[in-house]
Amino acid sequence: MNEITTYRMMFYKRNFIKKPILRISIASNDWLYSFFVGFIGIFLISFSPIINAATENQLEEIRSAAEIFVQGQVEKPSTGILDIKAAALDSRIRATDCPTPLQVTAPGRQSRSGNITVLVECEEDGWRVYVPVKTKLMMPLVVAVRPLNRGTIISEDDLHIELTDVNLSRGSGFSSTEKLIGSRIKRSVRHGDTISSNDICLVCRNDEVIIKATQSGLSIITKGTALNDGALGEQVKVKNNKSNRIIDGTITNVGEVSVNF
């Protein structure tokens, strides 16, 4: 054979004679088919807790964990009722029966009164849920039993003590009626509203007051005029009617100011 003929034969074999292709049929190889199906089954079983939606028991466990956490964060008063309730959760959330106790935190800077959002998570199974929790602190506070207009002098019949949601009350309220009897309403109060220190003045501007000055057991009593409003225990400026001197005094009773020299 000459060189040209040899080249033609090599070209023919390379381009026209097909090499056998190895074909494996899963149907004809039972062991391979079984292995393939078994592997997929194990994979799905391993991840089925993540795929499935949370059960009612799992949702209740999440809510309970959130409520217990908030109970430890909010200080319960000696008197009153503290109600803590987690919001209902979407049944479509994904959760598992966590193999370890659920971890609960309060992300960010949040007030410990009113509504709090806490994070409940299971680190082992890799899921987390944000749970809104509502707190309601009911305290015995003084409320008005009838509308009290500006300028009204408060009497015992105007007041009543009842459990009130602190989050809905206006300002700082009073737990006793004794500190309010004889004070004057400076901002109208509706029936059922709590009475706060901003609503009343035990000493009001331009009122004539008694000034009690004490020093080393010696007491001096004189009259003066209040230059601003104030409630029990607050300081007000008072003008001595005899000397016209302006002094700072502490309100100790209706129309009474105490000064220490």
Side-chain angles (χ1 to χ4, degrees), residues 136-161:
K136 181 187 290 186
L137 179 58
M138 306 292 291
M139 292 284 292
L141 296 176
V142 178
V143 300
V145 297
R146 65 181 182 87
L148 300 175
N149 297 323
R150 182 179 179 181
T152 301
I153 304 299
I154 298 177
S155 67
E156 189 174 356
D157 294 335
D158 297 325
L159 309 175
H160 176 67
I161 297 177

Side-chain angles (χ1 to χ4, degrees), residues 21-258:
I21 299 175
L22 179 62
R23 299 178 182 273
I24 299 177
S25 173
I26 294 180
S28 63
N29 292 273
D30 294 337
W31 67 272
L32 185 59
Y33 178 79
S34 299
F35 174 80
F36 179 80
V37 173
F39 175 80
I40 295 298
I42 293 174
F43 180 85
L44 292 177
I45 291 173
S46 300
F47 286 89
S48 60
I50 299 178
I51 295 175
N52 294 336
T55 64
E56 287 297 328
N57 289 338
Q58 290 167 349
L59 293 175
E60 185 58 34
E61 184 179 359
I62 293 171
R63 294 177 70 252
S64 177
E67 291 174 351
I68 293 173
F69 172 81
V70 173
Q71 284 178 359
Q73 301 294 309
V74 180
E75 183 178 356
K76 185 177 180 180
S78 56
T79 59
I81 300 173
L82 178 62
D83 182 40
I84 298 176
K85 187 174 183 180
L89 299 176
D90 192 334
S91 60
R92 295 171 296 179
I93 67 172
R94 297 176 179 181
T96 63
D97 291 326
C98 194
T100 58
L102 296 173
Q103 302 296 315
V104 187
T105 56
R109 297 181 179 178
Q110 301 186 67
S111 172
R112 292 300 184 263
S113 61
N115 296 328
I116 306 173
T117 299
V118 300
L119 175 63
V120 181
E121 59 184 328
C122 175
E123 295 182 355
E124 287 73 8
D125 290 347
W127 57 263
R128 54 174 53 188
V129 179
Y130 286 95
V131 183
V133 180
K134 183 177 182 179
T135 64
K136 181 187 290 186
L137 179 58
M138 306 292 291
M139 292 284 292
L141 296 176
V142 178
V143 300
V145 297
R146 65 181 182 87
L148 300 175
N149 297 323
R150 182 179 179 181
T152 301
I153 304 299
I154 298 177
S155 67
E156 189 174 356
D157 294 335
D158 297 325
L159 309 175
H160 176 67
I161 297 177
E162 64 180 41
L163 286 175
T164 306
D165 188 350
V166 174
N167 297 325
L168 300 179
S169 64
R170 305 176 303 154
S172 56
F174 295 88
S175 58
S176 172
T177 60
E178 295 178 1
K179 298 179 180 180
L180 296 173
I181 305 301
S183 59
R184 183 184 301 170
I185 294 292
K186 64 177 183 179
R187 187 173 64 177
S188 296
V189 177
R190 297 175 301 179
H191 170 253
D193 280 353
T194 58
I195 297 179
S196 72
S197 57
N198 295 326
D199 297 326
I200 57 100
C201 54
L202 215 59
V203 168
C204 303
R205 184 180 180 183
N206 295 327
D207 279 357
E208 186 175 278
V209 297
I210 299 298
I211 302 174
K212 289 185 176 182
T214 58
Q215 183 181 26
S216 302
L218 180 65
S219 296
I220 301 175
I221 298 177
T222 187
K223 292 183 179 181
T225 302
L227 301 182
N228 56 290
D229 298 337
L232 186 66
E234 293 182 345
Q235 280 198 339
V236 291
K237 291 189 178 298
V238 180
K239 184 180 73 172
N240 188 315
N241 291 345
K242 288 185 178 181
S243 64
N244 288 328
R245 180 184 175 190
I246 296 176
I247 57 178
D248 291 325
T250 302
I251 300 175
T252 54
N253 208 331
V254 178
E256 184 179 285
V257 175
S258 177

